[in-house]
Amino acid sequence: MGRFKTPEKVIENGLRSLKIPQKELPSDFALSLHHKLEEAKKDFVVEKNYFGASLFKHLAFGLSFTVIFVLGLWTGMHYTSTKPAILPETANESLVTTDTQVKTGEPVTIKLVYNSPKDIENVSFAIMLQDGLSFVSDDESVTSVRVLKWEGRLQKGKNEIPFVVQAADTGAFRINAIAEYAGGKHMHDIKLSVKSEEKEGGHV
Amino acid sequence: MDFNEKLLLEKARKGDIDAFEKLVKNHYQRLFHFALGITGGNDATASDILQEALIKAYLNIARFEGKSSFTSWLWRILKNEFFNYMRNNDLSETTSFEDISEPAADVLSMPDESFFDHELKRNLMNLIDRMPEIHREIIIMAELMGMSLNEISLYLDIPEGSVKSRLSRAREKLTELVNKNMELFA
């Protein structure tokens, strides 16, 4: 008769005996890794995912639905959306949140509008789509990513940044947009509810 | 991935080392644990392998498209590097998980069924290696590394329910294999 009577006993004892004991990381692990990453950086290749101000000439425009989010900068005025904006704690930060509904597969144009009291240079823009959303564009390098980030500027007065997205499935999705510059950060948190039935569209 | 992690990722995709380190540092210990299994418990070698794998992840991060979670992407990169290391260093025949597992404290005082000597461990590990990767991976994660269902779900980017059913199926497969090869455990 074998030592172990059943396959289950073999597995129970065998897996227990094969368990890998835990050990602490060597204390110099992080520092050593950092040095190696510094050396490896020369081999780092930045993929072509970043664009300047010419980005939006490649974006298509949706035909059926446009959502406009307006953000006033610096002065804390001009917040218009389907819901009252959350007022910033300081004049130099703001967050606008809003909900809207669209249909599955229907392109929707989202237009971020910034009313700036003066010219602002070196603005970092980022638009981040939740998994399940995609950009609509005739440029593959735009449609192949879910995060767009670029450096640009804001002119005194009205600035419009449009982009088009669509969702392949129903559900609730989020889009985050951020414009950051020295002394200020302004964010949009956009919730898109995607339905399969006909929904009334409209303008904000 | 939350808003701040997304921004870190975007910085890392441009080569920012600090951003990359912030993204991956919470995974060091867990991945080191896995590397220990590959290297037979050798701290220095496990540390080297893990660092090489993380460097590879850093150099390829610009290609991460966000179709899966960052955690599962990182796991795939590192797992491939670990197994490449095993193949390149022919560790499957010399050093493996069975070599670092806890030895029996006192063989003579233990019931026969609880004693699993080196040969039996190697035989079981060989059977595990013959399983489809999807089952082998989850057996290693759950049984040998002791990862929780939630942790496995994060690394494989699948729901916990799927982890449970996959693990159950993997155990069935392993039982079938052992049953067909019981003479190895006589």
Side-chain angles (χ1 to χ4, degrees):
Chain A
M1 180 182 290
R3 185 184 302 162
F4 297 95
K5 294 182 176 60
T6 64
E8 288 77 11
K9 280 293 180 188
V10 169
I11 292 169
E12 180 191 336
N13 289 284
L15 291 179
R16 186 169 51 231
S17 70
L18 284 172
K19 267 197 183 333
I20 309 166
Q22 283 275 10
K23 283 187 183 181
E24 286 298 314
L25 265 177
S27 56
D28 64 344
F29 179 86
L31 184 61
S32 168
L33 174 64
H34 185 82
H35 290 319
K36 289 182 181 178
L37 286 169
E38 291 283 355
E39 281 178 32
K41 192 170 182 178
K42 65 182 185 306
D43 297 324
F44 191 93
V45 175
V46 178
E47 296 280 304
K48 187 191 160 199
N49 277 332
Y50 304 102
F51 305 89
S54 62
L55 167 67
F56 295 108
K57 69 182 180 184
H58 295 294
L59 291 178
F61 284 85
L63 298 177
S64 60
F65 196 73
T66 300
V67 180
I68 301 174
F69 301 102
V70 180
L71 197 62
L73 299 181
W74 277 41
T75 60
M77 51 193 252
H78 293 97
Y79 292 98
T80 61
S81 73
T82 54
K83 286 185 180 178
I86 296 172
L87 295 180
E89 290 181 2
T90 71
N92 292 334
E93 283 191 0
S94 63
L95 170 67
V96 174
T97 64
T98 190
D99 289 345
T100 194
Q101 289 188 346
V102 297
K103 280 195 315 184
T104 313
E106 176 185 79
V108 53
T109 300
I110 296 174
K111 196 180 289 183
L112 306 173
V113 180
Y114 298 89
N115 289 321
S116 179
K118 67 180 202 178
D119 290 347
I120 303 173
E121 302 293 333
N122 302 316
V123 181
S124 296
F125 296 94
I127 300 173
M128 288 150 281
L129 307 183
Q130 185 175 343
D131 195 1
L133 295 177
S134 58
F135 288 105
V136 177
S137 171
D138 55 5
D139 186 342
E140 249 186 44
S141 56
V142 171
T143 58
S144 62
V145 298
R146 284 192 292 113
V147 179
L148 289 177
K149 191 175 179 190
W150 72 99
E151 305 293 323
R153 62 191 300 270
L154 290 169
Q155 293 177 328
K156 181 178 176 180
K158 189 177 180 182
N159 299 262
E160 293 184 354
I161 300 176
F163 60 98
V164 184
V165 300
Q166 66 182 19
D169 291 311
T170 58
F173 301 92
R174 298 179 86 112
I175 301 170
N176 297 128
I178 184 168
E180 191 171 2
Y181 53 89
K185 181 162 72 175
H186 303 276
M187 295 172 281
H188 285 102
D189 182 10
I190 302 161
K191 296 176 193 172
L192 278 185
S193 295
V194 183
K195 308 285 183 188
S196 57
E197 299 89 355
E198 190 82 20
K199 286 288 174 187
E200 288 182 11
H203 291 271
V204 172
Chain B
M1 185 175 265
D2 64 24
F3 198 83
N4 288 329
E5 281 179 316
K6 286 178 183 176
L7 290 180
L8 280 176
L9 179 60
E10 282 316 297
K11 286 183 180 177
R13 286 160 65 93
K14 280 183 176 177
D16 188 323
I17 289 173
D18 288 338
F20 176 77
E21 287 171 327
K22 282 176 186 167
L23 277 171
V24 300
K25 66 179 181 182
N26 289 339
H27 301 283
Y28 288 168
Q29 187 62 55
R30 175 54 77 194
L31 295 169
F32 179 65
H33 190 204
F34 187 73
L36 282 173
I38 300 290
T39 61
N42 186 311
D43 293 22
T45 308
S47 176
D48 285 344
I49 295 172
L50 177 55
Q51 287 180 346
E52 290 305 311
L54 286 169
I55 289 167
K56 178 145 188 182
Y58 167 72
L59 292 175
N60 284 279
I61 196 166
R63 293 183 196 160
F64 172 63
E65 294 178 356
K67 290 177 183 169
S68 61
S69 72
F70 178 75
T71 300
S72 66
W73 175 85
L74 184 66
W75 169 253
R76 282 197 302 277
I77 296 258
L78 266 59
K79 182 183 61 170
N80 288 339
E81 285 306 295
F82 289 159
F83 284 125
N84 283 341
Y85 175 87
M86 281 182 74
R87 280 191 290 272
N88 294 337
N89 290 275
D90 198 20
L91 287 184
S92 56
E93 292 303 316
T94 56
T95 310
S96 186
F97 292 99
E98 64 265 25
D99 291 323
I100 66 150
S101 45
E102 298 289 346
D106 183 347
V107 170
L108 293 178
S109 68
M110 295 175 78
D112 280 347
E113 285 199 346
S114 61
F115 172 56
F116 227 79
D117 64 19
H118 185 88
E119 185 185 348
L120 297 184
K121 286 194 280 190
R122 182 176 297 283
N123 289 341
L124 182 60
M125 204 59 224
N126 284 339
L127 292 181
I128 292 172
D129 283 343
R130 282 162 51 178
M131 296 170 76
E133 185 182 334
I134 193 173
H135 294 140
R136 181 175 69 240
E137 178 180 53
I138 206 159
I139 287 284
I140 290 173
M141 292 171 94
E143 305 289 358
L144 274 56
M145 293 174 66
M147 291 171 75
S148 67
L149 294 180
N150 177 252
E151 238 184 324
I152 297 173
S153 147
L154 289 172
Y155 276 102
L156 298 184
D157 202 14
I158 57 176
E160 267 191 49
S162 300
V163 174
K164 257 188 196 172
S165 57
R166 198 181 284 190
L167 182 57
S168 172
R169 188 71 191 120
R171 284 174 177 148
E172 283 173 17
K173 283 280 190 189
L174 185 57
T175 304
E176 282 171 24
L177 275 172
V178 170
N179 193 34
K180 285 180 188 169
N181 296 275
M182 277 301 286
E183 69 281 2
L184 296 175
F185 304 99

